[in-house]
Amino acid sequence: MLIYVLQTLAEIIAGGTSLTSTEQIDFSHPSNRKEEAAGPTLNLYIYDIRESKQLQHSGRQVERKITRALQPAPINWSPNWFDISILLTAWDRTTLGECHMMSEAITVLLRHRLLREEFLVSGLRGYGNLNMTVSLEPQVETGSLWSALTIPLRPAIYLMVTVPFEAEKAAV
């Protein structure tokens, strides 16, 4: 599910900003930034995954169907929901270029606070719209986060997307 979240966000951001493709969006640790000559890039980095406290529907559901043949009733498991915390930073040759890309990204993301199902990559479809929080404050203390990343503090957008995870599908 994590890859699907990153793909969805990359497609939304690249489609609504001056970036020419999703190739300009990097998913590696922010300290592994590409060379400055590579041009403008946005970095989406997952830094925290927690079971959602607000949306939790996990559990077993048994479908009961009356049939003439004696067949075991199929058991369906509802997905567990997780809050995926993502750090978005901009990299460019100039601070002005970085600020421009951050402004574009904020504008696009604020329009998509609810990730509508038709914008989701196929791996996330079937669960309805997904909630996304766009905030200026991360889920963990800012200084601790940047210290753990071992890079200097820089402008960032902190995102949290609540996604379903089905263990049965992941194990296949």
Side-chain angles (χ1 to χ4, degrees):
M1 290 297 168
L2 301 178
I3 284 293
Y4 300 144
V5 171
L6 292 174
Q7 286 176 332
T8 296
L9 290 174
E11 289 174 10
I12 288 170
I13 292 168
T17 64
S18 59
L19 296 178
T20 56
S21 77
T22 57
E23 296 295 317
Q24 291 176 279
I25 300 175
D26 184 32
F27 306 109
S28 62
H29 190 281
S31 67
N32 297 339
R33 77 177 242 209
K34 297 178 182 176
E35 293 183 27
E36 291 182 26
T41 13
L42 287 175
N43 179 266
L44 285 170
Y45 180 69
I46 295 174
Y47 69 89
D48 192 42
I49 304 166
R50 296 177 192 227
E51 196 163 14
S52 179
K53 292 179 183 176
Q54 297 199 355
L55 187 59
Q56 202 49 246
H57 299 289
S58 63
R60 189 170 66 164
Q61 297 176 349
V62 178
E63 282 185 26
R64 298 185 188 270
K65 294 182 181 178
I66 299 174
T67 61
R68 291 184 182 190
L70 294 175
Q71 297 176 353
I75 297 174
N76 293 329
W77 291 88
S78 295
N80 287 22
W81 291 82
F82 285 84
D83 292 331
I84 310 301
S85 298
I86 303 165
L87 176 71
L88 185 142
T89 53
W91 302 89
D92 200 0
R93 284 178 232 118
T94 66
T95 303
L96 187 60
E98 290 176 1
C99 289
H100 177 71
M101 286 195 320
M102 290 294 281
S103 294
E104 287 181 336
I106 289 170
T107 301
V108 169
L109 292 169
L110 288 175
R111 281 187 258 149
H112 290 276
R113 286 185 184 221
L114 186 66
L115 296 175
R116 293 186 10 210
E117 190 162 12
E118 63 261 21
F119 293 118
L120 301 174
V121 296
S122 61
L124 288 176
R125 290 189 183 156
Y127 302 97
N129 300 331
L130 301 181
N131 292 327
M132 178 172 67
T133 303
V134 180
S135 68
L136 301 175
E137 190 68 30
Q139 293 298 103
V140 297
E141 197 272 321
T142 306
S144 298
L145 173 61
W146 288 96
S147 178
L149 292 172
T150 66
I151 59 174
L153 179 66
R154 58 183 295 109
I157 302 170
Y158 304 95
L159 306 170
M160 187 171 63
V161 181
T162 304
V163 298
F165 184 82
E166 292 189 69
E168 302 78 45
K169 287 184 180 180
V172 176

